[in-house]
Amino acid sequence: MRTKLFDFIIILVMFCNPIIFPQTMSHDKLLEMKNSLTLGLSDKGLAIGAELMSRAEYSDVREEATFYIAELFFLLAIESDKTNSKISYASKAYTYYLVLQNDYPSSQFSKSILKRINFLLSSFKEYALFRDLLNPLLNESSIVEDKLRFATNLFDFKQPNPYIFFLTGISNQTPIETLDRYFDEIIVNHPEFEIFAYYYKILAHLSTIRGVDFFKDGIVEFDIEKISLKETDGFISIKKDYVPKGRELNRKLNGILSSISKKYPNHPLILNLHLIFAKIFINITDDKIDSATKKHVEFVVQNELDKTHPRYLLAKEFLISNKFY
């Protein structure tokens, strides 16, 4: 049986700590939304998200919920293969980023919000249907889009490639220098993902070696001077020394690989690069394999976290089965 003292304690707790229950309820609801979306329960997750963004009792988590929903649609816009879906998702992401920008000018997500808005404007503004969905004045874009699409149905229409200008004119840069600058921009502006840019940067430089073609002609011709690692074509030769350009390339790329290997010793791309280097820069004479190759393979065995992974098992077997000098 409840006593008056018990009732008084309950009332006291509620009045002295009025935020405890709403905060707990809000964060539980936010967590439920995130888990629902992560598990693929999209309808449920979005329904909860709509509540969190709309109802006053969830105001303490509204900012985070709105940002999470915006990020969800942002990723869907990038990953979707269908143009109409991309535009739809991009519009929803854009709408909620604008809500955050307007309602939370000092948001903890301000820098990310601005970056996302600029990206969406740069990547999707060419489509009439891309718009702020909360702005009724932009709904007319559907009519305009329909009229524009009809014009392209009247005639055989092919979207032009805006990067085709690379095929003309005079450039003082080689394709490798162009790619270096491109990947360096990613490394500088997205340092948390630098390893991926370094990976492609290294593959581009490896493609300058005769017999290695990770990069080939695309929109732009990959017209680079191929380098022979040995004085004869290919990698197997009686002579052990690299030709000067090959020796310099070997030194440069091994320097880059060594540097990023210290930062990301267990990353799959790093482990893959060591195996790639073991093959490309291998120095074989009379069935003997050099110590440099051994070091690359040993690095994989020492740093692979999954000891059942084929990369580990095969690298270990290679070390056991071969002799090195």
Side-chain angles (χ1 to χ4, degrees), residues 53 62 66 93-105 132 134:
M53 293 187 292
R62 179 174 180 262
T66 304
Y94 180 62
T95 297
Y96 288 119
Y97 286 131
L98 288 181
V99 168
L100 287 164
Q101 197 174 57
N102 293 331
D103 294 356
Y104 304 95
D132 174 6
L134 296 179

Side-chain angles (χ1 to χ4, degrees), residues 180-198:
D180 269 345
R181 288 180 179 273
Y182 183 82
F183 293 132
D184 285 344
E185 287 293 332
I186 297 175
I187 292 168
V188 170
N189 293 306
H190 304 279
E192 61 274 28
F193 299 103
E194 64 177 0
I195 187 171
F196 298 96
Y198 273 121

Side-chain angles (χ1 to χ4, degrees), residues 154-176:
L154 289 174
F155 303 93
D156 185 15
F157 177 73
K158 183 180 180 181
Q159 285 282 1
N161 188 327
Y163 303 105
I164 207 72
F165 73 92
F166 276 120
L167 296 178
T168 59
I170 300 174
S171 174
N172 294 324
Q173 288 187 337
T174 66
I176 291 298

Side-chain angles (χ1 to χ4, degrees), residues 27-252:
H27 286 88
D28 284 350
K29 201 79 171 176
L30 179 65
L31 183 60
E32 185 181 3
M33 179 198 77
K34 292 181 177 180
N35 286 334
S36 296
L37 293 172
T38 302
L39 291 170
L41 304 174
S42 301
D43 291 343
K44 181 178 180 179
L46 292 175
I48 297 173
E51 284 188 66
L52 296 178
M53 293 187 292
S54 306
R55 294 170 57 175
E57 60 263 41
Y58 301 124
S59 60
D60 56 317
V61 296
R62 179 174 180 262
E63 178 188 351
E64 186 177 350
T66 304
F67 183 73
Y68 194 91
I69 293 295
E71 289 284 274
L72 171 68
F73 286 124
F74 179 80
L75 291 175
L76 289 173
I78 295 174
E79 294 174 355
S80 178
D81 295 327
K82 297 180 180 178
T83 301
N84 288 342
S85 296
K86 290 177 78 74
I87 298 168
S88 175
Y89 292 138
S91 294
K92 291 172 183 175
Y94 180 62
T95 297
Y96 288 119
Y97 286 131
L98 288 181
V99 168
L100 287 164
Q101 197 174 57
N102 293 331
D103 294 356
Y104 304 95
S106 300
S107 171
Q108 58 178 315
F109 308 114
S110 291
K111 290 184 179 179
S112 295
I113 291 167
L114 183 58
K115 286 172 64 176
R116 298 290 192 263
I117 289 175
N118 288 339
F119 180 91
L120 290 168
L121 288 174
S122 177
S123 302
F124 295 96
K125 195 63 174 178
E126 64 189 275
Y127 300 104
L129 284 175
F130 170 67
R131 63 195 187 279
D132 174 6
L133 298 174
L134 296 179
N135 187 342
L137 296 177
L138 294 181
N139 287 339
E140 196 172 349
S141 62
S142 299
I143 300 172
V144 175
E145 180 74 14
D146 188 61
K147 290 182 177 180
L148 292 172
R149 189 182 296 114
F150 179 74
T152 61
N153 290 335
L154 289 174
F155 303 93
D156 185 15
F157 177 73
K158 183 180 180 181
Q159 285 282 1
N161 188 327
Y163 303 105
I164 207 72
F165 73 92
F166 276 120
L167 296 178
T168 59
I170 300 174
S171 174
N172 294 324
Q173 288 187 337
T174 66
I176 291 298
E177 290 172 327
T178 299
L179 286 171
D180 269 345
R181 288 180 179 273
Y182 183 82
F183 293 132
D184 285 344
E185 287 293 332
I186 297 175
I187 292 168
V188 170
N189 293 306
H190 304 279
E192 61 274 28
F193 299 103
E194 64 177 0
I195 187 171
F196 298 96
Y198 273 121
Y199 177 74
Y200 285 106
K201 182 186 179 88
I202 289 173
L203 293 187
H205 279 273
L206 288 175
S207 295
T208 64
I209 299 171
R210 183 168 287 117
V212 181
D213 297 302
F214 297 128
F215 275 70
K216 295 184 179 181
D217 293 350
I219 296 174
V220 182
E221 202 177 336
F222 197 69
D223 54 342
I224 44 89
E225 179 186 355
K226 285 285 188 175
I227 298 172
S228 293
L229 292 182
K230 307 291 180 62
E231 292 184 9
T232 59
D233 290 341
F235 306 123
I236 301 178
S237 170
I238 295 175
K239 298 185 178 181
K240 301 179 183 179
D241 295 331
Y242 295 127
V243 296
K245 286 185 178 180
R247 190 185 304 116
E248 173 60 23
L249 182 67
N250 186 4
R251 185 197 63 78
K252 176 181 177 180

